[in-house]
Amino acid sequence: MDDTIRSNLSVWKRLQDENYFENHPCYKGISDFGGQEAIQAIEWFVPIREQMKIVVIGCGYGRETLRLAPLVDRVYGIDVNETILKKAVDYLAARNVNNFTPVLAEAFAEDVPEGIDLVFSIVVMQHLTRDLVRNYFLHLAKKLSPGGGFVVQFLDEPGVDHEKTDASNTGGGEPSISWSPWQLVDLARNAKLQFVELRTQLVTEAALWHWAYFRKQE
């Protein structure tokens, strides 16, 4: 793991230790707010099946997992430290979700098993350096079953120099990384995945969300 990836993980470890979700105005604390958009986004591209094994990159306290877990066999949730993973375990157990496996980000390449059907992520990739995103895709692509895939959301903002390696991260806060469609094509190719489809939404007056569906050849 290189220094850029370690630095990005360190930022998020600190933010999670400082109660990121409890203090963030959009998340309304540790609550059942949101999560249903995960189901909608996945079903744009693939049907959810009860035998599926899903990996959630940046699972947080488990709001997407709460919606996904009852529909599938198992969810492996990746996040940066024991602090947030314990919150996820406690939050989900209190809601009778018992098919969740927490995975530390630093050990995901070893701890996520083979035979994964889907990798999902929302509102995470824009907060990770490009090197860390590529690392996730490269290693998790190898864990996919034939025909398995990624359904992942990326941010694209106007006026951004997409040729820059990463956006600046001033003050040690959340990075904000923008991805162009062609960078997503390259991301799929580098991970040896088939670029299947991109769906784009205008989410604010100054931000697009690209939902990317990449698939492993059968």
Side-chain angles (χ1 to χ4, degrees):
M1 187 180 295
D2 66 26
D3 290 341
T4 303
I5 292 175
R6 287 193 183 93
S7 177
N8 192 209
L9 288 175
S10 178
V11 166
W12 279 101
K13 286 178 184 178
R14 177 181 55 76
L15 290 171
Q16 296 291 13
D17 283 336
E18 294 172 355
N19 295 322
Y20 173 80
F21 288 104
E22 290 88 335
N23 295 322
H24 198 292
C26 292
Y27 289 102
K28 304 178 183 179
I30 303 296
S31 72
D32 294 353
F33 161 77
Q36 189 60 33
E37 65 269 32
I39 308 297
Q40 176 186 338
I42 292 169
E43 291 190 331
W44 276 341
F45 305 105
V46 293
I48 295 174
R49 308 182 309 276
E50 64 180 22
Q51 69 269 31
M52 291 179 90
K53 293 178 173 60
I54 294 180
V55 171
V56 177
I57 303 174
C59 66
Y61 65 84
R63 70 189 190 117
E64 288 83 33
T65 300
L66 179 64
R67 306 301 179 195
L68 284 170
L71 306 177
V72 301
D73 179 61
R74 179 147 300 271
V75 176
Y76 297 88
I78 301 173
D79 222 304
V80 294
N81 61 14
E82 297 286 1
T83 300
I84 189 61
L85 290 175
K86 184 178 185 306
K87 289 178 183 179
V89 169
D90 292 345
Y91 171 80
L92 294 166
R95 290 156 179 80
N96 299 313
V97 173
N98 301 307
N99 58 340
F100 171 73
T101 299
V103 178
L104 274 172
E106 291 181 353
F108 83 91
E110 297 78 28
D111 292 350
V112 172
E114 295 184 0
I116 297 300
D117 299 293
L118 184 74
V119 177
F120 176 80
S121 190
I122 181 172
V123 197
V124 174
M125 298 298 112
Q126 57 254 45
H127 300 315
L128 306 181
T129 60
R130 296 190 199 285
D131 286 343
L132 181 49
V133 172
R134 293 185 186 106
N135 192 54
Y136 275 130
F137 274 71
L138 179 65
H139 287 286
L140 289 174
K142 298 173 183 176
K143 306 284 188 175
L144 290 175
S145 297
F150 283 66
V151 174
V152 177
Q153 172 263 324
F154 294 85
L155 176 71
D156 193 354
E157 296 177 298
V160 170
D161 182 357
H162 287 98
E163 296 306 312
K164 283 188 175 180
T165 302
D166 280 313
S168 61
N169 178 17
T170 58
E174 299 177 42
S176 181
I177 312 299
S178 192
W179 290 78
S180 73
W182 278 108
Q183 285 175 320
L184 298 178
V185 171
D186 287 339
L187 180 63
R189 288 171 176 169
N190 289 338
K192 295 182 171 56
L193 295 168
Q194 178 188 5
F195 183 102
V196 180
E197 187 177 351
L198 204 66
R199 289 199 178 200
T200 299
Q201 300 172 296
L202 182 68
V203 290
T204 73
E205 290 304 310
L208 297 173
W209 274 13
H210 297 310
W211 280 101
Y213 175 41
F214 305 159
R215 185 171 58 206
K216 184 175 182 177
Q217 294 285 0
E218 297 189 41

Coordinates of all heavy atoms in Angstrom, one line a residue, residues 40-41 43-45 152-154 184 195-202 208-213:
Q40 N -32.6 0.7 -5.8 CA -33.0 1.3 -7.1 C -31.8 1.3 -8.1 O -32.0 0.9 -9.3 CB -33.5 2.7 -7.0 CG -33.8 3.4 -8.3 CD -34.2 4.9 -8.1 OE1 -34.6 5.3 -7.0 NE2 -34.1 5.6 -9.1
A41 N -30.6 1.7 -7.6 CA -29.5 1.8 -8.5 C -29.0 0.4 -9.0 O -28.7 0.3 -10.2 CB -28.3 2.5 -7.7
E43 N -30.8 -2.3 -9.3 CA -31.8 -2.9 -10.2 C -32.0 -2.2 -11.5 O -32.6 -2.7 -12.4 CB -33.2 -3.0 -9.4 CG -33.1 -4.0 -8.3 CD -34.4 -4.4 -7.7 OE1 -35.3 -3.5 -7.7 OE2 -34.6 -5.5 -7.2
W44 N -31.3 -1.0 -11.7 CA -31.2 -0.4 -13.0 C -30.4 -1.4 -13.9 O -30.6 -1.4 -15.1 CB -30.4 0.9 -12.9 CG -31.3 2.1 -12.6 CD1 -32.6 2.2 -12.7 CD2 -30.7 3.3 -12.1 NE1 -33.0 3.5 -12.3 CE2 -31.9 4.2 -11.9 CE3 -29.5 3.8 -11.8 CZ2 -31.7 5.5 -11.5 CZ3 -29.3 5.1 -11.3 CH2 -30.5 6.0 -11.2
F45 N -29.5 -2.1 -13.3 CA -28.5 -2.9 -14.1 C -28.7 -4.4 -14.0 O -28.5 -5.1 -15.0 CB -27.1 -2.5 -13.7 CG -26.8 -1.0 -13.8 CD1 -26.7 -0.2 -12.7 CD2 -26.6 -0.4 -15.0 CE1 -26.5 1.2 -12.8 CE2 -26.4 1.0 -15.1 CZ -26.3 1.8 -14.0
V152 N -21.4 1.2 -9.2 CA -20.7 2.2 -8.3 C -21.0 3.6 -8.8 O -21.0 3.8 -10.0 CB -19.2 1.9 -8.3 CG1 -18.5 3.0 -7.5 CG2 -18.9 0.6 -7.7
Q153 N -21.3 4.5 -7.9 CA -21.6 5.9 -8.2 C -20.3 6.8 -8.2 O -19.5 6.6 -7.2 CB -22.6 6.5 -7.3 CG -22.9 7.9 -7.4 CD -22.1 8.7 -6.3 OE1 -21.9 8.3 -5.2 NE2 -21.6 9.9 -6.7
F154 N -20.1 7.6 -9.2 CA -19.0 8.6 -9.2 C -19.5 10.0 -9.4 O -20.5 10.2 -10.1 CB -18.1 8.2 -10.4 CG -17.4 6.9 -10.3 CD1 -18.0 5.7 -10.7 CD2 -16.1 6.8 -9.8 CE1 -17.4 4.5 -10.6 CE2 -15.4 5.6 -9.7 CZ -16.1 4.5 -10.1
L184 N -13.6 6.5 -16.4 CA -14.3 5.3 -15.9 C -14.1 4.2 -16.9 O -14.0 3.0 -16.5 CB -15.8 5.6 -15.7 CG -16.1 6.7 -14.6 CD1 -17.6 6.9 -14.5 CD2 -15.5 6.3 -13.3
F195 N -16.8 -2.7 -19.6 CA -17.6 -1.5 -19.3 C -19.0 -1.7 -20.0 O -19.1 -1.8 -21.2 CB -16.9 -0.3 -19.9 CG -17.6 1.0 -19.7 CD1 -17.2 1.9 -18.7 CD2 -18.7 1.4 -20.4 CE1 -17.8 3.1 -18.5 CE2 -19.3 2.6 -20.2 CZ -18.9 3.5 -19.2
V196 N -20.0 -1.9 -19.2 CA -21.3 -2.2 -19.8 C -22.2 -1.0 -20.0 O -22.8 -0.8 -21.1 CB -22.1 -3.2 -18.9 CG1 -23.4 -3.6 -19.5 CG2 -21.2 -4.5 -18.6
E197 N -22.3 -0.2 -19.0 CA -23.3 1.0 -19.1 C -23.0 2.0 -18.1 O -22.4 1.8 -17.0 CB -24.7 0.4 -18.8 CG -25.8 1.4 -19.1 CD -27.2 0.9 -18.9 OE1 -27.3 -0.4 -18.7 OE2 -28.2 1.7 -18.9
L198 N -23.3 3.3 -18.5 CA -23.2 4.4 -17.6 C -24.6 5.1 -17.6 O -25.1 5.4 -18.6 CB -22.1 5.4 -18.1 CG -21.5 6.3 -17.1 CD1 -20.7 5.5 -16.1 CD2 -20.6 7.3 -17.8
R199 N -25.1 5.4 -16.4 CA -26.3 6.2 -16.3 C -25.9 7.5 -15.5 O -25.3 7.4 -14.5 CB -27.4 5.5 -15.5 CG -28.0 4.3 -16.3 CD -29.4 4.0 -15.7 NE -30.0 2.9 -16.5 CZ -31.3 2.6 -16.5 NH1 -32.1 3.4 -15.7 NH2 -31.8 1.6 -17.2
T200 N -26.3 8.6 -16.1 CA -25.9 9.9 -15.5 C -27.1 10.7 -15.0 O -28.1 10.8 -15.7 CB -25.1 10.7 -16.5 OG1 -24.0 10.0 -16.9 CG2 -24.7 12.1 -15.9
Q201 N -27.0 11.2 -13.8 CA -28.1 12.0 -13.2 C -27.5 13.4 -12.9 O -26.4 13.5 -12.4 CB -28.6 11.4 -11.9 CG -29.2 10.0 -12.0 CD -29.4 9.5 -10.6 OE1 -28.5 9.3 -9.8 NE2 -30.7 9.2 -10.3
L202 N -28.3 14.4 -13.1 CA -28.0 15.8 -12.6 C -28.5 15.9 -11.1 O -29.7 15.9 -10.9 CB -28.6 16.9 -13.4 CG -28.3 18.3 -13.1 CD1 -26.9 18.7 -13.3 CD2 -29.3 19.3 -13.9
L208 N -22.9 16.2 -11.5 CA -23.5 15.0 -12.1 C -23.1 13.7 -11.2 O -22.0 13.7 -10.7 CB -22.9 14.8 -13.5 CG -23.2 15.8 -14.5 CD1 -22.5 15.5 -15.8 CD2 -24.7 15.9 -14.8
W209 N -24.0 12.8 -11.2 CA -23.6 11.4 -10.7 C -23.6 10.5 -11.9 O -24.6 10.4 -12.6 CB -24.6 11.0 -9.7 CG -24.4 11.4 -8.3 CD1 -23.5 12.4 -7.9 CD2 -25.0 10.9 -7.1 NE1 -23.6 12.5 -6.5 CE2 -24.5 11.6 -6.0 CE3 -26.0 9.9 -6.9 CZ2 -24.9 11.4 -4.7 CZ3 -26.4 9.7 -5.6 CH2 -25.9 10.4 -4.5
H210 N -22.5 9.8 -12.0 CA -22.4 8.7 -13.0 C -22.5 7.4 -12.3 O -21.7 7.1 -11.4 CB -21.0 8.7 -13.7 CG -20.7 9.9 -14.5 ND1 -21.6 10.4 -15.5 CD2 -19.6 10.7 -14.6 CE1 -21.0 11.5 -16.0 NE2 -19.8 11.7 -15.5
W211 N -23.5 6.6 -12.6 CA -23.7 5.3 -12.1 C -23.1 4.3 -13.1 O -23.6 4.2 -14.3 CB -25.1 4.9 -11.9 CG -25.7 5.4 -10.6 CD1 -26.5 6.6 -10.4 CD2 -25.5 4.9 -9.3 NE1 -26.8 6.7 -9.1 CE2 -26.2 5.7 -8.4 CE3 -24.8 3.8 -8.8 CZ2 -26.2 5.5 -7.0 CZ3 -24.8 3.5 -7.4 CH2 -25.5 4.4 -6.6
A212 N -22.0 3.7 -12.8 CA -21.3 2.8 -13.7 C -21.6 1.3 -13.4 O -21.6 0.9 -12.2 CB -19.8 3.0 -13.5
Y213 N -21.8 0.6 -14.4 CA -21.9 -0.9 -14.3 C -20.8 -1.5 -15.1 O -20.8 -1.4 -16.4 CB -23.3 -1.3 -14.8 CG -23.5 -2.8 -14.9 CD1 -23.1 -3.6 -13.8 CD2 -24.2 -3.4 -15.9 CE1 -23.3 -5.0 -13.9 CE2 -24.4 -4.8 -16.0 CZ -24.0 -5.6 -14.9 OH -24.2 -6.9 -15.0

